[in-house]
Amino acid sequence: GVRFADLLAEVKPLANARAIRFVSAERPYEDSLTLDQALAPDAMLAFGMDPRLNGYDQNRGINLYSDVLLRLRNTPGVTAVAAANPGPLTSSGRGGNITAEGYQAKEGEYTGAAIRGVTPGYFAALFIPMIAGREFTDKDAKGAPQVAIVNEAFAKKYFGGRNPVGMKMRFGSSNKPPDVEIVGLARDYKHGDLREEIEPAAFMPLAQDTFEAVTFYVRANRDEARMGRAVREAVGPDIDIGIDVH
């Protein structure tokens, strides 16, 4: 295969270009990458996993996701790994009502945001800069104090563009005081399509999210074929017991 960096060196994108979009003429398919992602020296592989199809409850499922992440992190050549629900470039998304500390909604106004559950290391793995605060850590587990990371669009709409780190929010509409601490502010990015408008987004630790299917993202400094074999070996035990991996 041809690496994106080599292809872009020949194409010579405009100096102010920020992303690259792919459209297939053979079947309905569109995808996109930021230039930072496309120019990265390592390769990225994505795959989905849904243990719910095998009757896993939330505790077993979250433990499985943690185990897979650990195995992938310990795979030679892997430089970064993360998982998300829903993940970028998967043509899927979800959203819901939110309550932001100090925000007074207008009559009839929808106060909502895109909602995404992500693992520690997600933003670094996908080249999404943190503007303020921190990423999630393994300490942000189920039962720990609830925390969130929001994007610039969220901070602009609900906090007037101020740094939201240390402020509180709540997932869902409620008259109760917001009880989720915002610990990070992430750069805006296009989640599904380069043509979409960036919407306010709030991220929660995957371990504190509802239990659903996830997409894993693996970066490695090896060629795609060897990387694919290594990832299959890392998740092989799950495939052997019938876990849906796609």
Side-chain angles (χ1 to χ4, degrees):
V2 178
R3 288 191 174 273
F4 291 140
D6 297 332
L7 178 62
L8 292 174
E10 293 296 324
V11 174
K12 296 181 176 57
L14 297 175
N16 62 347
R18 299 179 60 186
I20 181 172
R21 179 181 172 209
F22 308 90
V23 179
S24 170
E26 299 176 356
R27 58 187 176 91
Y29 171 84
E30 293 187 12
D31 213 338
S32 59
L33 292 172
T34 68
L35 281 185
D36 286 342
Q37 292 171 330
L39 293 171
D42 45 13
M44 179 172 284
L45 181 147
F47 66 92
M49 179 176 285
D50 190 355
R52 297 174 304 171
L53 300 178
N54 296 79
Y56 275 54
D57 60 18
Q58 181 163 6
N59 287 335
R60 290 182 67 204
I62 294 300
N63 288 337
L64 174 63
Y65 292 156
S66 297
D67 185 45
V68 172
L69 286 168
L70 181 60
R71 276 184 262 147
L72 290 170
R73 287 170 182 158
N74 291 332
T75 299
V78 169
T79 58
V81 59
N85 165 42
L89 310 180
T90 58
S91 300
S92 62
R94 63 179 171 134
N97 292 311
I98 62 92
T99 304
E101 181 180 1
Y103 184 77
Q104 298 296 320
K106 302 178 181 65
E107 184 177 354
E109 178 186 3
Y110 170 66
T111 55
I115 298 175
R116 297 157 191 164
V118 303
T119 60
Y122 169 81
F123 296 94
L126 274 75
F127 302 95
I128 303 167
M130 295 296 297
I131 299 173
R134 65 172 177 87
E135 280 217 47
F136 297 135
T137 71
D138 291 333
K139 293 182 179 180
D140 299 315
K142 182 180 179 182
Q146 289 185 285
V147 292
I149 293 171
V150 301
N151 67 352
E152 294 172 286
F154 188 105
K156 181 178 180 180
K157 177 172 181 178
Y158 295 113
F159 295 106
R162 303 189 310 275
N163 182 353
V165 173
M167 302 294 285
K168 298 290 184 71
M169 63 166 290
R170 175 182 285 274
F171 292 99
S173 297
S174 174
N175 292 325
K176 297 180 181 179
D179 59 351
V180 180
E181 181 181 359
I182 298 173
V183 297
L185 173 64
R187 181 82 69 194
D188 285 341
Y189 69 93
K190 302 282 189 177
H191 184 78
D193 190 288
L194 292 177
R195 296 168 296 181
E196 70 183 10
E197 292 291 330
I198 295 177
E199 60 184 332
F203 303 81
M204 69 176 73
L206 189 66
Q208 297 180 0
D209 195 4
T210 56
F211 175 47
E212 298 183 28
V214 303
T215 301
F216 286 86
Y217 297 88
V218 186
R219 279 173 43 202
N221 56 6
R222 55 172 60 192
D223 66 78
E224 290 83 350
R226 292 176 59 202
M227 177 182 174
R229 288 194 297 270
V231 168
R232 282 193 294 273
E233 290 175 3
V235 300
D238 307 308
I239 298 174
D240 291 342
I241 63 173
I243 297 296
D244 180 56
V245 179
H246 51 277

